[in-house]
Each structure stands twice: as structure tokens, then as C-alpha cells.
Amino acid sequence: MPIFTVYQWGQGLCSAASGEYGSCQPNNECVLRGGIPAGPCAGGYGTCCIFMASCGGVVRENGTYFVNPNHPDSTDGTGSCQLTILKMHPDICQVRLDFDHFSLNGPEIVNHICNTDQFLVSGGSPAPTICGSATGEHMYIDAGMGQSNPIILTVITSGPSFPRSWRVRISQIPCGAIAKADQGCLQYHTGVSGRVKSFNFDPLSGRQLSNQDYSICIRTERNFCSIQYTACPGAMPGNRSRTFTLSGNSNSVVQAMVGGGTQGSPNSCTNDWLMVPCAKIADRLPMASTCEDKICGGTFNAEVSSVERTVVSTIRPFRLAFHTDSIEAPTDVDNRGFCLDYVQQPCTSNK
């Protein structure tokens, strides 16, 4: 039997009872590096070290959490809370932000603009300003070249009293890592099936955020050639789902609208839309000979209709693009955004 075991410090993930992930560090190093000891690891030879930072902090450790003041309790303070992310080493190409928990005051009710609370990313690739709820969501930010270009995360809070709280895990991704997202993807999903949502989506009380413009990418898994999207089930079975409401007054049934068209043309998407490359109804036989790229309205369908349908796209790589302008009222009312379940479809001999 071996008389000793080699542990590679800082590589293996460990978890704390409070739910955070940390890295396994030698017992005497965690506090020296500014971490929080969260129990033993490596058979008792190490400490699970959690790194957290809040307003004014500078992040140099991979896996650091950006948390609100007074964490784990909420905060009702107003002002600006800024965090600076520095690369661990020059060979870092992206930063992934995982919103383990994120709850700010939502957008105003007329045009759905984040004008009291805001989460902003600067210094890297463009990211939309968000507010409201984003728990379970993520962002990939291009970190640029070189060592000396920090990424700044800023939470601005103002306006009425609200129990604000956030815990955002910051992962630094090396340029050659398999976890690296494709270029231009704010969100990057893997797996044969999964779910994609717009920020602040909730079928009952969420509001679609204005001024959004970003891509959601899904890694094409081996031997899969197309992808199907279906609107998520509604919150109340038997009722209209409201899980795809991008334009129109969603307090009533709004049919699907498709295509770019021109300003003012009927049943087209000229203001807010989800771009699904060459979208067709999945189970139409024979398959339609034409396709659409933009879908909006209040029903998810690749054709103008008030009936929800499953939509298929064969364009690879699999990518959605979401766009909203800065105006909702008076035409658009109470839109929730979108929630879609996706399933990649295997290649067949005739594809």
C-alpha cells in the first residue's frame, strides 16, 4: 500500500453546508489568501476554502462569490456596489457568472426599463443591463487579451424599499478549456436537452426586460443535426401558458407573428423578437418548404397562429438571438418574455 497520497491543491471542488462551492486548500493557506474555511476536505488534510467579495472588492481567486452587503441576509441599502475581476493569469479568455441567487427590484411597469435597480458588466464583451430575478441564469463575458483589462460588475440600487440579495459565482475560463463558450454567446448551454429563459422571466409576475440584445447558444452534441423548441408548460395547467409573450397585450390571446417585415406591416416582428434560424413547425407533414427567422407575439409557433407548436431548426451551430427595444406601451402590455424547452434531434441518413 502507498505510504502517502498526493493531493492537488486548489483543483478539486468542495462544498460548504451553506451551499457555496470552494477549492481544497492546505489548512494554513485559506485564511492567508482571504478565504473562509468551510470544513475539511482531502481526507482531513485540507480545508474547503470559500472566497467571497462584496462592494469595493477585487477578485483574484477562481470561484469567488460576489455577494450583497449583509449576506446571507438581504440588504435594503441604495447606492452603487462595484466589484473588480482581475485575471488569475494571462491565459484567461472568458469569465462565467453564475447567478446562484439574484433578486433586485424589477423594471418599471410601463416600458419595462430597469431604472431603479441595475446589474451592469463593463470592461469585457457587451452584456445587457438586467434587474428583477435572474436566479439560476448565467452569463459568459469575453475577458479580452492581456493581463491588465479588469472586468467590473456593478449593482446600482435606488428607489423604493426592497429586500435585495445576490450571490454570483465568478469562474475564470482558460482559452483552451472545453468549458469555453463559442464566440459571441452571452449564454452557453450544453446537453441534449435543457431549458432557456429570458432574464426576469416568470409566467405569473415577471416582466420582459427592455433593451436586451444578446445570443443564447446551445452546444451541438455529437451526432445531433437539428434542435426542437417547445414553450415551457404554464404555471397553471389548463390555462394559457404565457411562457412566450414578447409583444402585444398578453392579458389576452396574442397570435404568433413571424419574420422581419417592415415597420407597421401586419404579423411581423419589427420591435421585439426571438431569432430562431430557419424555424419550421416540427411535426408538419410534409415539412414546410419555407422557414422564418424571427418569432414574436404571444404564441410560440413558426407560422402565424394562436396555437402553440413545437418548432425545429436545422441550422448549426444552434443559436438563438433575443432583441427588445426600449418601448412597450401602449401596444405591448404585461409581456413576460420567454421560456423554451429544447431537445436536440439525432442525425438520420437523409440529413
Side-chain angles (χ1 to χ4, degrees):
M1 293 179 65
I3 59 173
F4 63 89
T5 303
V6 176
Y7 292 104
Q8 192 170 12
W9 302 113
Q11 300 300 313
L13 280 180
C14 51
S15 59
S18 52
E20 293 92 356
Y21 290 104
S23 59
C24 202
Q25 305 285 346
N27 287 322
N28 58 342
E29 281 194 17
C30 181
V31 175
L32 291 175
R33 296 173 64 174
I36 302 168
C41 60
Y45 289 95
T47 297
C48 189
C49 195
I50 310 294
F51 292 94
M52 289 189 180
S54 194
C55 311
V58 178
V59 171
R60 293 184 178 89
E61 297 283 350
N62 197 15
T64 298
Y65 288 91
F66 177 30
V67 298
N68 60 277
N70 207 34
H71 175 81
D73 297 325
S74 62
T75 180
D76 199 16
T78 57
S80 176
C81 180
Q82 194 169 83
L83 185 80
T84 301
I85 305 171
L86 300 178
K87 290 184 179 182
M88 297 184 300
H89 50 76
D91 187 42
I92 296 294
C93 274
Q94 293 176 342
V95 169
R96 174 173 166 136
L97 308 176
D98 280 286
F99 297 89
D100 284 2
H101 181 74
F102 185 91
S103 179
L104 300 181
N105 206 352
E108 47 82 22
I109 63 174
V110 178
N111 287 314
H112 297 188
I113 294 173
C114 298
N115 60 1
T116 56
D117 291 3
Q118 299 178 344
F119 175 85
L120 306 103
V121 181
S122 56
S125 53
T129 298
I130 65 170
C131 60
S133 174
T135 299
E137 298 300 316
H138 69 271
M139 291 182 180
Y140 280 85
I141 308 298
D142 190 336
M145 303 298 290
Q147 182 76 24
S148 59
N149 45 320
I151 293 173
I152 312 296
L153 308 183
T154 305
V155 176
I156 297 173
T157 55
S158 64
S161 174
F162 188 83
R164 302 165 174 97
S165 59
W166 63 88
R167 187 177 78 184
V168 183
R169 190 167 192 265
I170 302 163
S171 303
Q172 302 198 21
I173 301 175
C175 298
I178 193 172
K180 182 171 173 282
D182 290 348
Q183 189 71 27
C185 302
L186 182 78
Q187 294 190 315
Y188 187 62
H189 296 265
T190 61
V192 172
S193 62
R195 175 169 288 185
V196 295
K197 297 187 296 183
S198 52
F199 293 106
N200 198 43
F201 171 83
D202 183 272
L204 297 178
S205 60
R207 295 190 193 111
Q208 170 176 278
L209 301 181
S210 290
N211 298 313
Q212 305 289 289
D213 210 344
Y214 62 90
S215 291
I216 302 169
C217 304
I218 300 164
R219 185 180 70 193
T220 306
E221 302 299 349
R222 187 182 298 274
N223 297 323
F224 287 86
C225 284
S226 63
I227 188 166
Q228 292 186 359
Y229 301 98
T230 307
C232 298
M236 295 177 288
N239 288 0
R240 192 165 51 89
S241 70
R242 295 184 75 155
T243 54
F244 185 89
T245 51
L246 269 59
S247 48
N249 185 339
S250 70
N251 293 302
S252 58
V253 175
V254 179
Q255 66 184 7
M257 296 181 279
V258 297
T262 58
Q263 197 69 36
S265 60
N267 301 324
S268 63
C269 304
T270 54
N271 299 310
D272 303 336
W273 64 75
L274 184 68
M275 184 173 287
V276 185
C278 198
K280 300 181 181 183
I281 293 177
D283 58 356
R284 182 178 295 290
L285 294 175
M287 183 70 73
S289 59
T290 60
C291 57
E292 299 289 352
D293 282 340
K294 293 179 179 178
I295 304 177
C296 61
T299 304
F300 188 63
N301 194 315
E303 300 173 5
V304 176
S305 172
S306 298
V307 179
E308 287 182 351
R309 299 291 290 270
T310 296
V311 169
V312 64
S313 172
T314 58
I315 306 299
R316 292 177 287 177
F318 303 140
R319 180 177 295 215
L320 304 170
F322 183 48
H323 171 83
T324 61
D325 62 8
S326 60
I327 300 171
E328 291 285 291
T331 305
D332 298 337
V333 180
D334 284 344
N335 288 312
R336 307 295 195 230
F338 68 86
C339 174
L340 300 177
D341 289 325
Y342 71 82
V343 182
Q344 298 189 35
Q345 302 297 305
C347 302
T348 59
S349 58
N350 59 355
K351 289 186 179 180

